[in-house]
Amino acid sequence: MAEAEESPGDPGTASSRPLMRDLKAVGKKFMHVLYPRKSNTLLRDWDLWGPLILCVTLALMLQRDSVDSEKDGGPQFAEVFVIVWFGAVTITLNSKLLGGNISFFQSLCVLGYCILPLTVAMLICRLVLLADPGPVNFMVRLFVVIVMFAWSIVASTAFLADSQPPNRRALAVYPVFLFYFVISWMILTFTPQ
Amino acid sequence: MAAVDDLQFEEFGNAATSLAANPDATTVNIEDPGETPKHQPGPPRGSGREEDDELLGNDDSDKTELLAGQKKSSPFWTFEYYQTFFDVDTYQVFDRIKGSLLPIPGKNFVRLYIRSNPDLYGPFWICATLVFAIAISGNLSNFLIHLGEKTYHYVPEFRKVSIAATIIYAYAWLVPLALWGFLMWRNSKVMNIVSYSFLEIVCVYGYSLFIYIPTAILWIIPQKAVRWILVMIALGISGSVLAMTFWPAVREDNRRVALATVVTIVLLHMLLSVGCLAYFFDAPEMDHLPTTTVTPNQTVAAAKSS
């Protein structure tokens, strides 16, 4: 009860406490993705803030520095956004149509949070690209992307696989594989101007 | 007396008594009375079905066929209605993919694998995979071909994904729609024994596109001969699956119409594969050779003139 009271002379606390609470919840879920165990945290207290932050970060980092980015042929901010959200919605619909007992937003939450390893890979790739280009550079990036891709798949499968009947598990997991593969491809083929 | 016994009626056709007589018979719930006459075990629906059914020794098949009649009872605005199109298990999807890769003469893909349970999972995700396979393989192949050229700067060519998606999904939905409309029209003129529903045609087309996924990946190899051999093999396999599926649907028709239909189906399929190869994959020509052949002449001419 004491927490809910506004202390006089301290106008910031009333709005910052729920914000800190939400940020802590998001951070806790990040930890659950990085160290995937069979727990229900992501499913029980789902939120879409984490996926939104990750998606915006990824889309911003996939932007090129050049002004004339039309010629580049790389994905625009809006394209990345659409791919991530449209892909996640399609996978969720597919999972529900196959008879899974996970709710719509829970599934979106899991898929969004499991982009975290790939966002980390994007960060590392951008750092690696600051060095001089060459086959070694490419090999390092390839290795990092492959490892993070595998991590994403393992993390999301740990949360999603139990919601499907066992005779359809592979059918529900394959689109997740395709989704993260496409995002990994976008990260790997990123070339700055 | 014998005469009285002969005049005695025997009760047939009452579900309760026939069930009591044969408790093992598969029964159908009468939710939609119009549906039940079709699904009672009894005389076969057509001679074509008989020979196909004989080829299968599967006990599950009869049950799924009979039970399939009762599943489409939800109205189309409910979620359950669409769930009926995803009512497949993993092994069923694998079986259908296997069937599309190994066309056996005389066995009909629809009758053998789909068996009144068309699914939209296969067509949708095979098309999605094919879109990305073509776009990514095309990008990789262009990169490998132009590797080493000084003027070449690698671009991911992301636009091509949307173009590939439009082409593939349009093919996978519009061509079955046109074919279904055409077959319905011919059905009104000539009584065909075998007729397919729209979803079954979409299903066949979707699964027949599966062979193009490994083909697209192998198209990365920058050799013209290899690519055209792959086109021929893929067209042979998927074309024959389609031809063997649709031949029974048109064979009672006028000979010319039947042949024209099957030839058109195969031609459209070929157009798709050749078009994708031409648009997404650059020709593996040696662009820098002419410059090397010119320079020796120039040096010889320069030497002669000096």
Side-chain angles (χ1 to χ4, degrees), chain B residues 7 13 19 45 51 61 87 113-114 124 126 140 144 193 204 221 240 279 294 299:
Chain B
L7 293 174
L19 184 56
R45 270 158 274 175
E51 57 188 338
S61 57
D87 194 15
Y113 291 103
I114 299 188
F124 183 78
I126 290 176
L140 255 180
L144 288 174
I193 292 176
V204 175
I221 302 173
S240 58
Y279 183 71
V294 166
T299 51

Side-chain angles (χ1 to χ4, degrees), chain A residues 52-96:
Chain A
L52 185 65
I53 296 172
L54 288 171
C55 183
V56 168
T57 314
L58 192 62
L60 279 175
M61 284 200 286
L62 278 169
Q63 287 293 286
R64 277 151 179 73
D65 304 325
S66 71
V67 173
D68 195 8
S69 53
E70 284 285 323
K71 272 198 310 196
D72 273 327
Q76 302 289 316
F77 181 90
E79 280 175 342
V80 177
F81 219 77
V82 160
I83 283 180
V84 169
W85 286 101
F86 188 65
V89 165
T90 309
I91 296 176
T92 306
L93 275 178
N94 176 69
S95 168
K96 287 190 74 72

Side-chain angles (χ1 to χ4, degrees), chain B residues 232-276:
Chain B
M232 289 295 129
I233 294 176
L235 187 66
I237 292 179
S238 63
S240 58
V241 167
L242 289 176
M244 284 195 288
T245 303
F246 290 107
W247 179 249
V250 289
R251 79 181 148 203
E252 271 90 31
D253 209 341
N254 182 359
R255 197 86 186 160
R256 276 198 209 149
V257 170
L259 274 176
T261 312
V262 175
V263 165
T264 311
I265 291 174
V266 176
L267 264 180
L268 280 174
H269 221 59
M270 185 176 78
L271 201 65
L272 176 78
S273 70
V274 170
C276 282

